[in-house]
Amino acid sequence: MSSTAGKIAVIDYGMGNLRSVWQALVHVANGKEIVVTADPAEVAAAERVVFPGQGAMPDCMRELDARGLRAAVLEAAKSKPFLGICIGLQMLFEHSEEGDVPGLGVFAGRVRRFPADKMHSPQGDKLKVPHMGWNEVRQIRPHALWQGIEDGARFYFVHSYFVDPVDRDTIAGTTDYGLPFTSAVARDNIFAIQCHPEKSAHAGLALLANFIQWQP
Amino acid sequence: MGLAKRIIPCLDVTAGRVVKGTNFVDLRDAGDPVEIARRYDAQGADEVTFLDITASSDQRDIILHIVEACASQVFIPLTVGGGVRTVADVRRLLNAGADKVSMNTAAVTNPDLVAEASAKVGNQCIVVAIDAKQVAPGQWEVFTHGGRNRTGLAVVDWARRVQQLGAGEILLTSMDRDGTKNGFDLALTRAVSDAVDIPVIASGGVGNLQHLADGVSIGGADAVLAASIFHFGEYTVRQAKEYMHERGIEVRL
């Protein structure tokens, strides 16, 4: 076995702070080693991969390419347990309205901004963008990463854009904010979620613990 | 069902210690911000805010260690404010484990800081704190330096401006109400919340649970921040949420 066997790689393409993700994973890792890395070889050698992201998607795509990580991400998304978080979910899609940029195209579909004409609650109150705070995630279908998490549990969100998958069978979770939107997708070895499990208290830690155990 | 209104306990920290004593009965160390933050997390707080009021600049780095320790144990969002003057300050706090950084006086004296920081780290990380005092019926002015200095800026105009500059959230404190326990300035809260599209956190004046509920249902706030009612054990965050829930306000229970 190589020295990297069993490692969980958090991909670091220089956008924002990965400490929270790393710390939450360490908290549930049960002794598994978590590495934050910008090295494609280390990503390739890892047992499983976490693909986080924050900030603006055009910047994230640019930095990913600037660090030569695109191929490593695409390969990991084909071959090993893969968890996308926030912009890490959005980047898996074909295109984003944010900056009108192409994404990685792992999932067919586009990333859209919350439409201004829908940003009011059923009671008529104005809904703010970014969608910031704790909202419910409906589990649209069973998945290993939902294990032990109540259907409708609240997770912490911060985002202004959401994914709109072409293949509706990939939708694993939905959330309401002015309109119902896709808050989690899953296919084969990939699970990706819009909220921040690393900041979502018990529900989020449970999801990360499930990911570490997951055998897709 | 939808987005929950947030309840945010705030801790004033100086040189690494919580300023106002707490009377949680079983705390090992009542002045330890990390232990108190853990307690609030256990009670169901939606976020925690640290306000660093350290006067001397050579003790500024202490907050970074507090943030690091907190972020390794508390898995809810952490906002840190106080003495933030440069993008480098913002970065240091984020790198230590803060999720959002709040700026107040520096945003007024150097609005470009808001724009620059937001462009660098994303607007979701940038909170602009506004200290407001009423100057006429329905009119409020922005004050800085802990409420000592007038700026001539109208609060509603400044709130719109910081949104344009790239603030992701506004922490709105009524200096008239702060410390009074008479409740939020609801007209102020409503005026700012209606004027901007980013979330507004109401602050200043909470003395009971009804005040928290009013901040949301009358003031239109997206989140409510309080210090003393939680520190002195008058109410737990859980009790506050149950109270709001019973009044039809959506909360994370």
Side-chain angles (χ1 to χ4, degrees):
Chain A
M1 292 221 329
S2 82
S3 62
T4 50
K7 276 189 190 175
I8 298 159
V10 180
I11 299 177
D12 178 10
Y13 47 93
M15 280 299 295
N17 165 29
L18 303 179
R19 193 185 181 98
S20 296
V21 175
W22 175 78
Q23 251 159 349
L25 285 164
V26 167
H27 195 74
V28 298
N30 217 356
K32 285 211 178 190
E33 190 179 351
I34 317 291
V35 291
V36 175
T37 181
D39 177 1
E42 202 161 20
V43 174
E47 175 193 295
R48 47 193 79 217
V49 164
V50 178
F51 185 43
Q54 57 172 264
M57 181 156 150
D59 299 337
C60 289
M61 290 302 303
R62 189 188 63 234
E63 294 303 315
L64 187 73
D65 282 333
R67 284 165 174 75
L69 281 161
R70 176 187 287 250
V73 171
L74 288 172
E75 183 54 35
K78 278 186 208 148
S79 58
K80 57 186 78 177
F82 185 100
L83 176 63
I85 297 174
C86 193
I87 307 291
L89 157 71
Q90 296 180 5
M91 289 166 79
L92 298 178
F93 281 75
E94 291 171 309
H95 180 271
S96 179
E97 282 182 5
E98 186 176 19
D100 192 23
V101 290
L104 295 169
V106 173
F107 287 84
R110 298 168 80 83
V111 183
R112 303 184 187 283
R113 187 171 170 89
F114 282 113
D117 61 337
K118 302 273 200 219
M119 289 296 99
H120 45 80
S121 72
Q123 293 76 35
D125 297 325
K126 177 167 68 171
L127 296 178
K128 308 294 182 70
V129 176
H131 172 223
M132 182 186 287
W134 298 79
N135 206 336
E136 295 171 326
V137 177
R138 269 189 307 271
Q139 298 168 11
I140 293 302
R141 58 188 176 89
H143 194 280
L145 265 67
W146 296 139
Q147 196 190 331
I149 301 169
E150 200 182 339
D151 188 12
R154 289 185 185 274
F155 287 81
Y156 187 77
F157 288 84
V158 188
H159 63 123
S160 301
Y161 295 79
F162 60 92
V163 300
D164 190 3
V166 169
D167 180 356
R168 311 306 280 178
D169 290 341
T170 61
I171 298 172
T174 63
T175 296
D176 291 338
Y177 194 62
L179 72 177
F181 71 90
T182 299
S183 49
V185 298
R187 189 184 68 208
D188 305 328
N189 58 306
I190 303 173
F191 187 95
I193 191 159
Q194 180 62 63
C195 60
H196 289 273
E198 75 278 12
K199 285 290 159 186
S200 297
H202 300 296
L205 294 174
L207 188 135
L208 294 175
N210 289 340
F211 174 69
I212 284 172
Q213 304 287 328
W214 185 29
Q215 301 294 341
Chain B
M1 300 300 275
L3 185 65
K5 300 297 180 180
R6 288 170 280 154
I7 295 184
I8 308 173
C10 177
L11 301 175
D12 287 354
V13 179
T14 183
R17 306 288 294 173
V18 174
V19 177
K20 295 169 187 163
T22 63
N23 71 349
F24 288 133
V25 283
D26 52 350
L27 283 187
R28 211 163 19 90
D29 175 358
D32 177 12
V34 178
E35 192 170 3
I36 296 169
R38 287 179 62 165
R39 182 60 52 97
Y40 287 138
D41 176 30
Q43 290 180 2
D46 296 308
E47 301 184 20
V48 172
T49 291
F50 287 159
L51 185 59
D52 181 17
I53 56 171
T54 305
S56 120
S57 57
D58 58 351
Q59 293 184 315
R60 281 253 171 245
D61 284 352
I62 296 172
I63 192 70
L64 297 174
H65 303 298
I66 303 288
V67 170
E68 279 174 12
C70 187
S72 68
Q73 298 171 52
V74 179
F75 299 101
I76 57 175
L78 173 62
T79 300
V80 184
V84 174
R85 290 189 182 84
T86 65
V87 174
D89 292 338
V90 173
R91 279 203 189 280
R92 267 196 293 277
L93 287 165
L94 293 177
N95 287 337
D99 298 286
K100 306 183 220 181
V101 172
S102 167
M103 47 185 74
N104 186 338
T105 299
V108 173
T109 54
N110 178 19
D112 288 345
L113 173 64
V114 179
E116 201 185 327
S118 177
K120 289 264 166 59
V121 302
N123 71 347
Q124 78 284 349
C125 298
I126 302 301
V127 181
V128 172
I130 301 178
D131 290 346
K133 271 190 194 175
Q134 188 165 16
V135 289
Q139 286 180 44
W140 298 268
E141 184 175 331
V142 179
F143 279 67
T144 59
H145 300 86
R148 292 191 301 278
N149 297 3
R150 300 186 74 137
T151 64
L153 294 165
V155 167
V156 169
D157 294 343
W158 177 236
R160 287 200 185 102
R161 175 91 195 284
V162 299
Q163 169 175 283
Q164 277 174 355
L165 287 167
E169 193 166 48
I170 289 170
L171 168 54
L172 178 65
T173 302
S174 163
M175 303 307 291
D176 304 308
R177 297 300 180 93
D178 205 26
T180 65
K181 292 187 168 276
N182 289 332
F184 296 121
D185 183 336
L186 296 171
L188 165 71
T189 308
R190 173 54 76 179
V192 173
S193 188
D194 284 349
V196 296
D197 296 317
I198 54 177
V200 173
I201 305 167
S203 158
V206 174
N208 60 46
L209 301 184
Q210 177 73 45
H211 293 154
L212 293 175
D214 287 348
V216 169
S217 50
I218 301 174
D222 301 281
V224 287
L225 179 138
S228 58
I229 65 161
F230 298 132
H231 293 333
F232 296 108
E234 292 165 64
Y235 303 100
T236 64
V237 175
R238 176 82 52 205
Q239 284 172 321
K241 288 187 160 187
E242 283 166 359
Y243 182 92
M244 289 168 77
H245 175 69
E246 284 162 15
R247 276 147 192 83
I249 297 170
E250 200 156 347
V251 292
R252 177 179 71 109
L253 282 170

